[in-house]
């Protein structure tokens, strides 16, 4: 097993194209062709975590946060980032980050956050635009079932909780091949009419190469007619934050105490309580203040995230309770998520939880 086997699998779940434009997810140090001796999963790949990897004989660190966000002009060990990179390279340890691309999928960071809180009926709080396309193609009617099948297997035709979605219209296609053709139906240099099915399927834009490969390999025609349209629709399974329902509503104080215990918080900063039961809960692992308006619009009773600034607490405006539980606290179970995913897929090497508490914030 080599590093690219591991990283390619992770990217099949959380494609790098889903990361935010400020992010730096992906392989940060190391050679993708190196054989894996062990994997260490962590939230932050700081110097002490590299030491831990060395002790465990793990040559691949899977981190949530990238150790490098912007370019380094010098690497001489003057800060913790440079020291970490130097130590990793000297000890042939690869560092891979799976950050906002893991935040932006429905089975990612916020999914395990929601699971810890016992939320049900969960969905993305703020679905993103620009991640959907539509394929339209035309195929002889007798081959339509097979072509739909391979397109579905490649990931096309998924809309929310439904799959195998397509629209089909019967019609007549016409064509004439020149003397150099070997048409599947008809004769060269002779006009031909064929009963065809127009197939339309939606797909996630990051699957385009895979979808087109399936189309071109399985379509019977020499020249495949198809169109791809960029859609403005929101992708319901890609986006920021999550919202769900508590099975049993709780009063505000009891729920905040529950959150503090479950999320292992040193403190929970919150806005004034509104005297209403908590039933609908919005969450966002990491810095989620930008989603406050979405949480209010969705009718959430409380929004749990981190890194709210002082004046942003005023923005609750007695419409919702804001609970800031801390950045590390809101993402800590990402380690558990990644370990479970890797352990289930790969059995030829050890996957270790980092035991280093990398939270830089302390409470007295």
């Amino acid at each position: 097993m080599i590093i690219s086997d591991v990283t390619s699998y992770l990217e099949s779940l959380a494609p790098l194209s889903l990361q935010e434009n400020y992010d730096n997810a992906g392989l940060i140090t190391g050679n993708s062709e190196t054989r894996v001796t062990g994997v260490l999963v962590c939230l932050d790949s700081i110097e002490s975590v590299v030491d831990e990897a060395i002790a465990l004989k793990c040559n691949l660190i899977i981190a949530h946060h990238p150790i490098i966000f912007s370019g380094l002009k010098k690497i001489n060990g003057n800060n913790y980032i440079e020291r970490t990179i130097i130590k990793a390279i000297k000890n042939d340890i690869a560092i891979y980050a799976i950050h906002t691309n893991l935040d932006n999928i429905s089975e990612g960071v916020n999914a395990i956050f929601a699971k810890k809180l016992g939320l049900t009926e969960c969905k993305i709080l703020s679905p993103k635009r620009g991640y959907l396309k539509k394929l339209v193609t035309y195929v002889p009617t007798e081959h339509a079932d097979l072509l739909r099948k391979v397109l579905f297997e490649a990931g096309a035709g998924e809309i929310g909780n439904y799959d195998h979605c397509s629209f089909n219209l019967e019609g007549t296609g016409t064509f004439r091949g020149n003397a150099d053709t070997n048409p599947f139906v008809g004769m060269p240099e002779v006009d031909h009419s064929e009963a065809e099915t127009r197939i339309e399927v939606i797909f996630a834009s990051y699957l385009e190469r895979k979808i087109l490969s399936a189309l071109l390999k399985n379509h019977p025609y020499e020249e495949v007619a198809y169109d791809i349209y960029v859609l403005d629709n929101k992708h319901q399974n890609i986006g920021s934050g999550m919202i769900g329902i508590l099975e049993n509503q709780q009063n505000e104080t009891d729920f905040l105490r529950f959150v503090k215990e479950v999320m292992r918080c040193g403190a929970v900063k919150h806005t004034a309580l509104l005297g209403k039961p908590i039933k609908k809960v919005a969450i966002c692992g990491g810095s989620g203040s930008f989603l406050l308006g979405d949480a209010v619009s969705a009718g959430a009773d409380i929004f749990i995230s981190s890194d709210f600034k002082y004046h942003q607490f005023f923005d609750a405006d007695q419409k919702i309770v804001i609970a800031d539980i801390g950045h590390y606290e809101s993402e800590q179970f990402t380690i558990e998520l990644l370990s479970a995913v890797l352990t289930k897929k790969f059995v030829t090497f050890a996957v270790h939880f980092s035991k280093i508490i990398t939270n830089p914030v302390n409470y007295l």
Side-chain angles (χ1 to χ4, degrees):
M1 192 71 62
I2 61 175
I3 287 172
S4 63
D5 293 324
V6 180
T7 59
S8 293
Y9 175 66
L10 291 175
E11 288 167 19
S12 73
L13 305 176
L16 292 178
S17 61
L18 299 185
Q19 68 180 305
E20 301 295 335
N21 56 17
Y22 62 81
D23 203 5
N24 189 35
L27 190 62
I28 293 174
T29 67
N31 186 327
S32 62
E33 299 301 309
T34 301
R35 185 177 65 87
V36 177
T37 60
V39 175
L40 180 63
V41 181
C42 66
L43 205 63
D44 306 282
S45 54
I46 58 177
E47 194 175 4
S48 56
V49 172
V50 177
D51 288 330
E52 186 180 21
I54 295 168
L56 292 170
K57 294 181 170 51
C58 294
N59 66 343
L60 175 59
I61 295 173
I62 305 291
H64 182 44
H65 296 136
I67 186 63
I68 300 174
F69 270 103
S70 55
L72 296 177
K73 292 186 176 181
K74 297 178 181 179
I75 306 179
N76 51 32
N78 279 340
N79 57 50
Y80 78 97
I81 297 173
E82 295 174 6
R83 290 194 299 273
T84 300
I85 296 300
I86 291 170
K87 181 167 287 189
I89 292 173
K90 279 186 173 182
N91 289 277
D92 293 322
I93 293 176
I95 298 176
Y96 182 87
I98 181 167
H99 190 213
T100 52
N101 50 325
L102 190 62
D103 292 333
N104 283 332
I105 62 171
S106 59
E107 298 300 322
V109 174
N110 292 305
I112 195 165
F113 188 172
K115 181 180 179 181
K116 294 296 180 180
L117 295 180
L119 302 184
T120 62
E121 301 177 39
C122 295
K123 59 183 181 180
I124 296 289
L125 177 60
S126 180
K128 290 184 179 291
R129 299 183 188 276
Y131 287 99
L132 283 174
K133 292 185 178 182
K134 179 189 285 188
L135 169 69
V136 177
T137 191
Y138 309 84
V139 64
T141 299
E142 62 183 18
H143 289 268
D145 287 341
L146 174 61
L147 190 61
R148 277 191 297 267
K149 180 176 182 292
V150 297
L151 291 174
F152 294 153
E153 288 174 349
E158 294 187 0
I159 303 176
N161 292 325
Y162 292 82
D163 62 6
H164 292 194
C165 302
S166 68
F167 179 77
N168 303 271
L169 187 66
E170 305 305 319
T172 301
T174 66
F175 52 84
R176 182 178 69 176
N178 63 29
D180 296 325
T181 61
N182 181 28
F184 176 72
V185 289
M187 299 292 293
E189 300 184 298
V190 177
D191 283 305
H192 181 80
S193 298
E194 182 71 21
E196 294 182 339
T197 300
R198 172 187 170 114
I199 300 174
E200 300 184 12
V201 287
I202 288 176
F203 63 92
S205 56
Y206 60 83
L207 292 173
E208 182 169 340
R209 181 178 297 180
K210 185 177 181 181
I211 300 294
L212 287 181
S213 176
L215 171 67
L216 298 176
K217 286 179 181 178
N218 292 280
H219 199 292
Y221 286 171
E222 279 187 304
E223 301 291 346
V224 181
Y226 67 90
D227 302 299
I228 292 180
Y229 300 93
V230 177
L231 304 180
D232 194 43
N233 306 50
K234 292 180 178 179
H235 195 309
Q236 297 303 315
N237 290 325
I238 295 174
S240 304
M242 189 160 280
I243 189 163
I245 305 295
L246 287 174
E247 185 175 352
N248 299 304
Q249 67 181 30
Q250 298 184 39
N251 70 54
E252 295 161 313
T253 301
D254 287 345
F255 183 65
L256 286 171
R257 286 173 177 158
F258 166 74
V259 170
K260 181 178 180 180
E261 178 182 356
V262 169
M263 302 305 293
R264 305 169 188 171
C265 304
V268 176
K269 297 191 294 183
H270 63 85
T271 53
L273 303 183
L274 304 178
K276 299 190 301 183
I278 301 294
K279 181 69 173 178
K280 201 170 193 179
V281 180
I283 62 172
C284 181
S287 302
S289 61
F290 69 99
L291 292 171
L292 178 60
D294 295 281
V296 173
S297 297
D301 301 306
I302 189 169
F303 180 37
I304 308 170
S305 190
S306 69
D307 300 342
F308 282 86
K309 296 180 180 179
Y310 174 80
H311 290 285
Q312 290 175 317
F313 281 91
F314 286 106
D315 294 334
D317 200 21
Q318 297 187 318
K319 298 174 183 176
I320 193 171
V321 175
I322 295 173
D324 187 325
I325 64 172
H327 195 118
Y328 176 90
E329 288 79 2
S330 70
E331 294 182 329
Q332 62 187 296
F333 297 112
T334 304
I335 299 174
E336 183 179 315
L337 169 68
L338 289 170
S339 296
V341 164
L342 292 170
T343 300
K344 183 177 181 180
K345 177 66 176 178
F346 302 104
V347 295
T348 56
F349 54 78
V351 177
H352 299 271
F353 275 83
S354 174
K355 296 181 180 179
I356 305 295
I357 304 299
T358 59
N359 190 359
V361 180
N362 293 277
Y363 303 93
L364 183 62

